[in-house]
Each structure stands twice: as structure tokens, then as C-alpha cells.
Amino acid sequence: MNKSPNQNKKIKPPKFNVIFWIYIPLFAFLIYMVNFGYQGGDPQETEWYKVKDNMISQGDVEKITYVVNKDIAEVTIKKDSLKKYVNLFGGKEPKYSPQFVFYIKSDDALVEARESLPDEKRFEIKTENRIDYFGNIISWLIFPALIVLLWFFLIKRMSKGIGGGAGGGGIFNVGKSQAKVFDKDNNTKVTFKDVAGLEEAKVEVMEIVDFLKNPKKYTALGGKIPKGALLVGPPGTGKTLLAKAVAGEANVPFFSISGSDFVEMFVGVGASRVRDLFKQAKEKAPCIVFIDEIDAVGRARSKNGGFSSNDERENTLNQLLTEMDGFGTNSGVIVLAATNRADILDKALMRAGRFDRQINVDLPELKEREEIFKVHLSKLKLSPELQTDFLAKQTPGFSGADIANVCNEAALMAARKNKQFIEKQDFLDAIDRIVGGLEKKSKIISPQEKRTIAFHEAGHATVSWILPNANPLLKVTIIPRGKALGAAWYIPEERQLTTKEQMMEEMAATMGGRVAEELINGKISTGALSDLEKITKQAYAMVTYFGMSEKVGNVSFYDSQDSGYNFQKPYSEKTAELIDAEVKTLINSSHEMAHKILTEHFDGFNKLANLLLEREVVFQEDLVNIFGPRQGAEKQDENVAKDKETEPESLNKDE
């Protein structure tokens, strides 16, 4: 006879539960009190005059017990007289005694009432002090019990997750690592297919994946697995996503933690969490430890120990340095870190043996932006006419996060207009909104102010179009956006090196708005604030950083290792005066250059400003119609033909 599957299973005896065996006697005690502690219920509350006039006068009272310490009197009715009062007890004779209770200050009235009755109707009077021992015990125990329960609750909350690995949040786990672990059980699978663009960075990290998959391939030749890699790049370029893709491709456990998670108010917590993190990583080796925003804990240590030092952060950094390259070996543990401020990291952290390689994750180029758009657009309902290469050309300088935001904003705009599909114009509006801010068409601007804004923006556009090395205009508007009263978008030329002449022409284009106001109104306004700020910073950089001043000389006061605590200028007061004078000279030269351009092309400049007043938005085609093709456009077209790209890779906004 075959046994059923249920018969084959061993029946486990129930676990002994202390709480369960505590509840049983308590429940039994309550049942006893309900059934035997008193016979059926509480006495009916009444008044003295009712007892006197109805019960005592008729001779129905057998006994009255006066409780001195509680100022109450309990009335017991004779058994043969209970039938008279069944209507007060739901039509049934009460089985308990006393039947009634009333409040009274003394027993004098009771004695007086009894003495007024004949002997056959007189009742018994008992006087007593009643102590509720059970109630007193409960009242005395309730406060300590609450304290004990509260204590156990706090202990449970504080020790939550103890022994459960990473992520414990209690006070006893304050020294535990807060890293999130992604492994085979809870891994959200991310591969290199999910990472659009970043081709050079993917090639670099591919080697790390190969190390983790085939370690013997490299160790057989005597090589060592790299300790770590540092991902460096602007925010939103996909550093964290790339690290997750590495873990997904290698199919190994992935510990993710932020640099700020090591920092706590308690001394020694950061170092303890670092130790715990690497302890867990060693147990699950081979694995990847990813520290996002490592600059929060890896900032360069101060040379002045008494000023602006943070012992706790430095202790955490020291522990991290020891774990990455100490006496212990972390075989199979690769540390990936990400930061957008690699310049402030400690030199000891950056050396070979800790972070063996530094991988730059730059802003995506045209083709990469097109790939990123394809990833995000795959989830959207698009118009058939929409082309991804057009969107990529309209978003120079955008990061992967910016492109994702553009796609989402376009979808929201299309939904706001009750469209069935997302169209080209929705994306253009989304780009304008992200770059320039929300349009404020309802903002009240006087006709004179609007005219000034139009000539201001026309001045920028004219100078930038005429000068061959300045950034050509893409679009200009006098519709207020964000905090700006007018905005212009330019297409900077893609170059790695910039000459002094090119920088001067860019400054002249920036100064064009201020010069336009001087020519038209004969006076200046506050509208050129951002322009003046920009050219001032650029002029100081030319003199103090790039050595583009003949009087100051070929010197640079730029310190790439500046810790931020040097309050003394690296030059004398005489040199400072010379720098200020040279900066003013450069700014004045850019002013004269812009004035000359606007004077020579005043008719076109005036026509462009009036067109702006009429249409509020002017495009590049309009400038071609007014001024003709831009100088240097032929050379640009040749580069476009070679690179198969029509637009550079950054976008600037002027206000």
C-alpha cells in the first residue's frame, strides 16, 4: 500500500510559546471573576428617597450595608419581595445581592428610618470599610507594567534587524552597513543593453566584468584582479546605471551604498560601517561594492589638523583606505565608486592599488544622444513623423537624465493638450521649457520695456552672427521665461582648444545687449546683469588662469589641488591691481568690438529688433534673410560633411 505524500512528511511538534502559556491563566482568571466573583452583575443605582418611600416603608428591605470609605449604601431586598421589582431587572428576579445601591454621606438617616418602623418591618444595618485589594494591586501594577511594555517595545524597535545583515536600522545596528544587496534572489537585472551610449566607458568596465567571470585567465599569467575603478563625470550621465550594468553582466552580488551613509552623529560609526561592509563583501566574494558620491567621505584631508578638520570623516576615510589596500586581502571584491568632484578626492584614495583606473563618463555626443532617445522613446506613443536624429540635434549638452526628463515633459505636454500621440512640437516645447523655464505670457511688461528687451536680444544675435568665432544663434525670444525677460539659444562650435581671439569675440557677443541699449536708448538698464557677470568671470580667467595678458605675463594662479582653506592670494597687492586693470581693458575691448559691429550693421540690427517685437520669436533662418550667410559657414559645412553632424554638442542660454 502506497503512502500518501502527506504521510511521508514528518509532523513537527508545536513550538513552545511562553506568551501563549501566560495568556491561558489570565484568561481563566477573567472567566472565574465573571462567573464567581459576583453573581450575575452590578446592583442597580437608585436614590435614597426612593429606597425610603417605596422599599423601606413597605417592609421589603432585608439589609442595608453602609460602606463608610466610599459613601455608598447597598440595599438587599427580601426574597419574597423581589417579585415587586422584576420590571427593573428586565422581567426576571435578580440572582445577585445586593440589588440596589445609592450614595449617602452618613448612616444617620438609615438609623432614623429603621427606628421609625415597627419591629416586624425593621431591617439590618451593617457598617464597614471596604478595601478593593484586587483593584489596588491592578492600580499599583499598571504603571510599572506600562513601563516594562514600553521598554520591551523600544528594545525591539532599536534592535530591529539585528543579525539580519545589511540594512539594520536600530540603535544596536548603528555600526552595521547600510548597503543594499542585489544578488540572484533580489537582483533587478540591468545589462549593457540598458545603457545607451557611453561606448568608451563600457569598453573600460567590460574588462572588470571579464575579470569577475574568468579570474583564472589573468591570475594564470601572474596578473592581479584590479582593486577598484572610479567613475568620474557630470551629474546625470549614467554612472550609477553603468555600475549596476557591470554587476548584472558579471552576475555577481552587488553592494550599493552612498558615501553619506557612512556619516553619523556617533563617533566611530563610519569606520564600523566600512568594516562591516567589507566583511559582508568578503563573505559573498566575488562581488562588487559600489559607493555612490564617494566625495562625501573621500574628500581630501586637511593639512591643518586644528582648523576645519573632521576627525570622524577622516577616520572613516582611513578605514576605507585600509580595507581597500591594507594588510588584509580582498580577493574577488572590486570597488566601484562614482563622483562628479574627482578634484577634491584624497590623493591616497586615488593612487594605484586602490582605484587602479579612472573611467570618464562624459556628456553624450550626437550619436549617443540618439541612442539614449531610442531607449526612452520606446515606452512612449509617438507620432509616425517623429525622427530621433532631429531630437538629438536639438539637445546638445544634455545628459542622459536630461534626455529622460525631456521625454517625460513632452509626454505630459501632449497629455495636457489631449493628444493621442506625442508630436515633434511637444518635444520642442519641452526642450524650451527645460532650458529656458516656463513661459510667462501673462507677465505684464510695458511697451517701453518690451522694446528695450527686443533690442537687447537683437544686439546679442547680431554680434554673434557677424563675428565668425562667436556662437551662432539658434533661437531668440522676448517672451519671459523663468526669471529671464528674454532668452536666446546658441550653438557653440565644438572645439577642444580656445584662442584669445575666440574668447574676445564671445565676450563681444555677450556685451552686445548692453551696447544695443546704449545705441537705442542712450542709457543702460539692469537687464545686462547676467551678461556682465559672465564676461567678468571670463576676463579674470583669461588673465589669472590662462596667461592671456601681456602685462601680467604667462603665469597662472590656478591651483588644481586647492583644498579651499587658503585665505591668502597667491599674488601681491601690486599684481592684484594690475590684474584688475587688465580685466577692465579686456572688457572695454569687447565693448568697443560690439559697438563697432552694431554701428556698421545698424540697419540689419534694427530690422531684427522690429521683427522680434512683431513675432516675439526669431529663428536662425530669419538672420540668414537679414544678414546673409554667416562667415565661416563654409568651413563649418566641410566639418559637418566629414563628421556627418550638423550641430555642436552644447547649448547656452542668455538672458
Side-chain angles (χ1 to χ4, degrees), residues 23-57:
Y23 284 149
I24 288 180
L26 288 175
F27 186 69
F29 178 74
L30 290 175
I31 294 176
Y32 174 80
M33 292 297 298
V34 169
N35 290 277
F36 304 102
Y38 57 93
Q39 299 296 320
D42 295 329
Q44 286 274 0
E45 188 173 339
T46 185
E47 303 289 340
W48 162 239
Y49 74 91
K50 294 181 180 180
V51 175
K52 182 181 178 182
D53 297 340
N54 299 330
M55 303 177 190
I56 295 178
S57 61

Side-chain angles (χ1 to χ4, degrees), residues 298-310:
R299 187 186 296 267
R301 290 163 289 186
S302 175
K303 297 179 182 178
N304 188 352
F307 181 76
S308 297
S309 63
N310 190 332

Side-chain angles (χ1 to χ4, degrees), residues 244-411:
K244 290 183 178 180
V246 172
E249 290 284 344
N251 198 21
V252 297
F254 181 75
F255 292 82
S256 179
I257 191 171
S258 174
S260 60
D261 290 336
F262 294 110
V263 183
E264 279 284 355
M265 63 179 292
F266 304 107
V267 178
V269 169
S272 177
R273 288 181 176 177
V274 171
R275 286 192 296 270
D276 186 68
L277 173 63
F278 280 87
K279 180 183 177 183
Q280 295 178 41
K282 291 174 188 177
E283 294 173 354
K284 293 193 176 185
C287 64
I288 293 175
V289 175
F290 176 62
I291 305 174
D292 201 4
E293 306 296 343
I294 195 173
D295 51 272
V297 68
R299 187 186 296 267
R301 290 163 289 186
S302 175
K303 297 179 182 178
N304 188 352
F307 181 76
S308 297
S309 63
N310 190 332
D311 292 336
E312 177 60 18
R313 182 179 57 78
E314 292 184 2
N315 290 338
T316 306
L317 175 59
N318 291 335
Q319 186 63 43
L320 181 62
L321 297 175
T322 303
E323 293 289 344
M324 291 188 67
D325 187 30
F327 293 104
T329 57
N330 302 329
S331 64
V333 179
I334 294 180
V335 181
L336 291 181
T339 182
N340 51 22
R341 304 183 67 188
D343 56 317
I344 66 171
L345 294 180
D346 197 276
K347 291 182 179 179
L349 188 65
M350 299 289 291
R351 76 160 177 84
R354 292 192 176 105
F355 286 114
D356 297 295
R357 56 187 62 186
Q358 184 170 321
I359 302 172
N360 291 318
V361 185
D362 298 323
L363 292 172
E365 297 181 353
L366 180 64
K367 295 180 180 178
E368 294 175 336
R369 292 199 303 272
E370 188 174 345
E371 294 177 3
I372 297 172
F373 264 112
K374 289 180 180 178
V375 172
H376 294 292
L377 294 178
S378 61
K379 304 176 183 178
L380 304 178
K381 293 183 179 180
L382 304 174
S383 173
E385 295 82 12
L386 187 66
Q387 297 179 354
T388 55
D389 57 343
F390 171 78
L391 297 177
K393 293 175 183 178
Q394 296 299 316
T395 53
F398 278 43
S399 65
D402 295 330
I403 292 174
N405 191 22
V406 168
C407 296
N408 185 64
E409 194 68 35

Side-chain angles (χ1 to χ4, degrees), residues 571-643:
Y571 44 82
S572 64
E573 291 295 329
K574 185 178 179 180
T575 304
E577 294 177 0
L578 184 60
I579 291 172
D580 293 339
E582 285 295 286
V583 167
K584 290 181 181 179
T585 301
L586 291 176
I587 294 175
N588 291 333
S589 298
S590 65
H591 183 278
E592 293 174 1
M593 190 182 301
H595 189 276
K596 181 181 178 183
I597 295 294
L598 291 179
T599 304
E600 293 177 355
H601 300 83
F602 184 81
D603 293 337
F605 158 62
N606 190 47
K607 187 176 180 181
L608 178 60
N610 290 319
L611 187 64
L612 261 175
L613 285 171
E614 179 184 351
R615 291 169 36 183
E616 293 187 335
V617 180
V618 171
F619 298 93
Q620 192 177 75
E621 294 80 9
D622 300 309
L623 272 77
V624 175
N625 296 331
I626 296 174
F627 299 104
R630 188 170 178 268
Q631 294 182 18
E634 297 82 3
K635 184 178 179 181
Q636 187 177 4
D637 292 338
E638 292 178 1
N639 296 331
V640 168
K642 291 179 182 179
D643 301 333

Side-chain angles (χ1 to χ4, degrees), residues 423-442:
E423 299 175 351
K424 174 182 175 181
Q425 189 60 41
D426 298 321
F427 283 95
L428 293 176
D429 294 340
I431 294 171
D432 291 345
R433 181 171 182 177
I434 292 172
V435 176
L438 183 64
E439 284 188 355
K440 297 181 178 179
K441 293 184 178 181
S442 60

